[in-house]
Amino acid sequence: MAIAAAVVVVPLGLLFILSGLVVNLIQAICFVSIRPFSKSLYRRINREVAELLWVELVWLIDWWAGVKVLVFTDPETLKLMGKEHALVICNHKSDIDWLVGWVLAQRSGCLGSCLAVMKKSSKFLPVIGWSMWFSEYLFLERSWAKDESTLQSGLQRLKDFPQPFWLALFVEGTRFTQAKLLAAQEYAASTGLPIPRNVLIPRTKGFVASVSNLRSFVPAVYDVTVAVDKSHPSPTMLRILKGQPSVVHVHIKRHLMKELPQTDDEVAQWCRDVFVVKDALLDKHKAEGTFDEKDFQKIGRPKKPLLVAVSWSFLLSFLAYEFFKWTHLLSTWKGAVFSAVPLLLVTVVMHIFILFSQAERSTPAKVEPARLKNSGTATATQNTSPETEREKQL
């Protein structure tokens, strides 16, 4: 991390980590003292507590970096967002798609009950990963033999969730890069699948399992397409921390869960078809620079993230002042050196956090080498889905 960037990142990181540790402590106390007696009450409290941490990242986008998130959807969908359970599927185009989702959830009033299916290593991230664990995110190992039962039990636990939740699932399985796109195009050409241009081939096992387990109590699937305004640079976590703006366009289409096909194979094909449509929608966005303007919805920029960030800043500054006043740590050089250790730890943690968010460092999907197939074989492969050659990955 460059020195100039560290001057900005370290204070923001210190604010986030210290407030996050406070939130983690409250979550841990509630988990031990309340959850064994009332899971519903614990979830209601945790929703409010977790939001006090996560809304700081929304503040980074809204108020610090000035990233504009423009929403394109129909008025009925906008009205229902945050008022119903929903399974959310999205293309994984940028490093901060998950954070854009949090912006939408915060606008819709369900940030504290926003969940996601994530790789297992995420829960070990200091502060944010721990908070996700307390909030019942689903963590998988990317091995279907191990993950199938974990996913099923995790989804079933949501049946009695007391407030509307969103469960986000990135069915492409990994973040988009040109190298991964080339691999996906090679795989599609070898199997007779539609060749993608702007998305990766969805891995449908997790989606099929999610639909199967959620169908009875989740009324809708939100098909979300994220694109970056071509006149602005793609936002990254480091750019956001440095206060550099961008513009992100989000298209949302609501599908009724009851209208999805009934069999697993048909649900898998439905998912692949949605991504073919999504690919064409992104082609249109590239050509026109926007989604359909008649679907543009003004969602504003709420003041709550700003108020929470300012409140944390004043509270933690006051506590830090009282601590150093009481301990006299800064009165000796040894105390000053000791006080610098947390700053070093914050720098390391933020560096890990930034690297973790970078798409270029995410694990690429394994795709079998291209080979010629006759038309009958290609059709059979399309019906059984690409996962047959990637059995070990979700």
Side-chain angles (χ1 to χ4, degrees):
M1 188 185 302
I3 295 177
V7 171
V8 176
V9 171
V10 171
L12 292 176
L14 192 62
L15 171 65
F16 180 74
I17 291 173
L18 290 179
S19 60
L21 291 174
V22 173
V23 167
N24 290 161
L25 178 61
I26 297 173
Q27 288 179 302
I29 293 172
C30 293
F31 185 85
V32 173
S33 62
I34 298 177
R35 193 177 190 280
F37 306 101
S38 175
K39 186 167 65 173
S40 176
L41 178 60
Y42 166 78
R43 284 169 162 172
R44 291 179 184 276
I45 294 174
N46 184 77
R47 168 183 168 138
E48 304 301 324
V49 173
E51 185 173 348
L52 291 176
L53 173 64
W54 296 345
V55 80
E56 289 184 62
L57 295 176
V58 176
W59 166 76
L60 280 176
I61 278 193
D62 278 346
W63 296 89
W64 180 261
V67 175
K68 294 181 180 179
V69 179
L70 307 183
V71 175
F72 298 81
T73 189
D74 61 275
E76 182 64 21
T77 296
L78 186 67
K79 182 179 178 181
L80 291 170
M81 286 169 57
K83 298 179 177 62
E84 62 179 354
H85 296 330
L87 174 62
V88 181
I89 57 173
C90 181
N91 62 315
H92 214 345
K93 185 70 174 179
S94 76
D95 295 352
I96 62 153
D97 295 327
W98 58 277
L99 192 46
V100 171
W102 278 11
V103 169
L104 297 179
Q106 195 274 327
R107 302 288 200 276
S108 303
C110 63
L111 176 59
S113 54
C114 190
L115 311 171
V117 178
M118 304 185 69
K119 57 185 178 182
K120 188 176 180 180
S121 60
S122 304
K123 69 180 178 181
F124 299 111
L125 281 174
V127 176
I128 190 169
W130 304 338
S131 185
M132 289 175 175
W133 186 86
F134 284 120
S135 300
E136 300 181 76
Y137 276 56
L138 281 63
F139 299 99
L140 304 181
E141 298 184 34
R142 290 187 171 180
S143 170
W144 188 242
K146 299 178 181 179
D147 290 334
E148 184 175 12
S149 59
T150 302
L151 182 61
Q152 181 174 350
S153 61
L155 293 170
Q156 285 297 314
R157 284 198 301 269
L158 300 178
K159 187 173 292 186
D160 59 351
F161 210 89
Q163 302 113 335
F165 68 80
W166 289 0
L167 176 65
L169 179 64
F170 290 101
V171 294
E172 291 165 295
T174 185
R175 282 163 282 192
F176 182 96
T177 65
Q178 286 301 316
K180 294 171 191 175
L181 176 61
L182 291 174
Q185 289 173 334
E186 179 185 357
Y187 180 84
S190 71
T191 57
L193 292 169
I195 297 177
R197 299 169 302 281
N198 309 289
V199 296
L200 305 180
I201 299 172
R203 308 178 193 181
T204 57
K205 283 185 178 180
F207 179 75
V208 170
S210 298
V211 171
S212 176
N213 285 278
L214 299 177
R215 190 190 291 269
S216 63
F217 61 96
V218 174
V221 176
Y222 292 172
D223 171 20
V224 178
T225 304
V226 177
V228 178
D229 187 307
K230 60 184 179 181
S231 63
H232 291 79
S234 181
T236 65
M237 183 55 67
L238 184 56
R239 284 184 56 85
I240 289 173
L241 288 169
K242 292 164 67 175
Q244 297 173 336
S246 186
V247 177
V248 178
H249 295 172
V250 182
H251 182 276
I252 305 172
K253 182 174 177 58
R254 179 176 180 268
H255 301 272
L256 291 176
M257 185 75 79
K258 64 183 181 182
E259 294 180 354
L260 266 63
Q262 294 300 314
T263 69
D264 288 353
D265 286 344
E266 289 174 333
V267 171
Q269 186 58 51
W270 183 90
C271 181
R272 289 192 289 273
D273 291 342
V274 162
F275 268 74
V276 171
V277 174
K278 190 184 297 290
D279 204 12
L281 183 62
L282 288 168
D283 276 338
K284 180 177 182 294
H285 185 277
K286 277 184 178 180
E288 301 179 5
T290 185
F291 295 119
D292 196 335
E293 286 294 338
K294 68 179 178 62
D295 290 332
F296 174 67
Q297 305 290 338
K298 292 183 179 180
I299 60 174
R301 185 176 65 167
K303 292 183 175 62
K304 182 177 181 178
L306 177 63
L307 294 175
V308 171
V310 171
S311 298
W312 274 121
S313 299
F314 277 110
L315 175 62
L316 295 174
S317 296
F318 173 75
L319 293 177
Y321 171 77
E322 291 296 324
F323 174 78
F324 285 116
K325 181 180 176 181
W326 175 62
T327 60
H328 303 288
L329 274 178
L330 297 181
S331 62
T332 66
W333 70 268
K334 288 183 179 180
V337 171
F338 179 78
S339 301
V341 171
L343 296 180
L344 178 60
L345 292 176
V346 167
T347 303
V348 172
V349 170
M350 293 303 294
H351 185 66
I352 293 172
F353 187 38
I354 291 169
L355 291 180
F356 187 85
S357 71
Q358 290 177 348
E360 292 79 9
R361 295 177 181 268
S362 60
T363 305
K366 295 180 179 179
V367 182
E368 67 168 4
R371 61 179 182 273
L372 294 175
K373 296 178 179 284
N374 59 42
S375 59
T377 305
T379 302
T381 303
Q382 184 170 351
N383 289 336
T384 55
S385 90
E387 284 81 358
T388 53
E389 283 80 20
R390 293 178 282 169
E391 190 66 30
K392 292 186 178 181
Q393 299 210 1
L394 176 63

